[in-house]
Amino acid sequence: MVTIQLRAHLAFLMLPLFVFGVPTDEPDPKEVTTTPSSCRRCCDPLNSHESPEAAPDLASRHSLPYPMPEVRPYINITILKGEKGDRGESGIPGKWGKEGPRGERGPQGQKGSKGQMGAPGDPCKHQYAAFSVGRKKALHSSEGYQALIFDTVFVNLYGHFNMFNGKFYCYVAGLYFFSLNVHTWNFKETYMHIMRNESEEVILYAQPSDRSIMQSQSLMLELQEKDEVWVRLYKRERENAIYSDDIDVYITFNGYLVKPSID
């Protein structure tokens, strides 16, 4: 039993000789060339060239029968990684960037609800005005001025001409045309004016003559709302008259809106 144990220990001691071989003095070509009396440590670089001052120190080293492996440390970074930290506070907002290009038009939205009723508007205004009136009776001058009153209506659109005082009232501001036609009296002067408010605009005049004639006058006026246009006979200090025979219409006064003003 003792012999068997001794043989087992001897085999264990001889195992490196069979694995690595018996050491010899001849250098292996594959090994690093060293001096017979020098040796290397496993941590020395293989191709280093020592300085002359280190030669005595190398003589004391012994060669190893096998090359030493190079040891390189390796650290697993994933082991050192910690847990995720808390979210930090928000930073200060940056400056506004440049305005970008205009985007495409979006889809049409839904129809909104009905709004509230608005305030009442202004009364409807007719954008037309026209009148044509006549007189069948003759007229003589008096001590003062006289407004020519008419007794026959041909056209009085929307009633803008007042037959009681002989005046046209402007309800639509704009450009108007007016005309006056009369028949003169023999041996008497005819002296009349077409008036705007209290201003004399144009005169209709005929000298005394042994023959009566038809005389006319016309003009265009730019009127404002509430202006008045009428015909006035001059006073008696100048004897004048207009003729008619109560049957036919010798005297006419006409007017109409040419173009309304643009607000």
Side-chain angles (χ1 to χ4, degrees), residues 178-181 192-204 216-219 221 228-233 252-254:
F178 297 95
S179 65
L180 174 64
N181 299 279
M192 311 178 73
H193 287 96
I194 297 179
M195 309 288 292
R196 173 163 56 176
N197 300 325
E198 298 300 323
S199 301
E200 301 171 352
E201 295 295 338
V202 293
I203 186 174
L204 186 151
S216 66
Q217 180 63 283
S218 61
L219 79 162
L221 293 174
E228 302 173 3
V229 180
W230 52 289
V231 180
R232 188 189 70 179
L233 186 67
T252 60
F253 184 37
N254 311 287

Side-chain angles (χ1 to χ4, degrees), residues 145-197:
Y145 295 111
Q146 296 183 75
L148 186 59
I149 306 300
F150 299 88
D151 51 26
T152 304
V153 177
F154 299 107
V155 174
N156 190 10
L157 191 61
Y158 307 120
H160 292 178
F161 190 90
N162 190 321
M163 296 295 292
F164 295 97
N165 58 15
K167 293 184 178 182
F168 168 75
Y169 292 90
C170 176
Y171 290 95
V172 182
L175 187 64
Y176 285 79
F177 175 81
F178 297 95
S179 65
L180 174 64
N181 299 279
V182 299
H183 191 280
T184 64
W185 201 298
N186 293 355
F187 304 107
K188 292 184 180 182
E189 188 177 42
T190 302
Y191 191 7
M192 311 178 73
H193 287 96
I194 297 179
M195 309 288 292
R196 173 163 56 176
N197 300 325

Side-chain angles (χ1 to χ4, degrees), residues 120-139:
D122 295 333
C124 180
K125 293 182 179 180
H126 301 289
Q127 298 299 316
Y128 304 97
F131 72 91
S132 179
V133 293
R135 180 183 174 96
K136 294 181 179 180
K137 295 181 179 180
L139 181 65

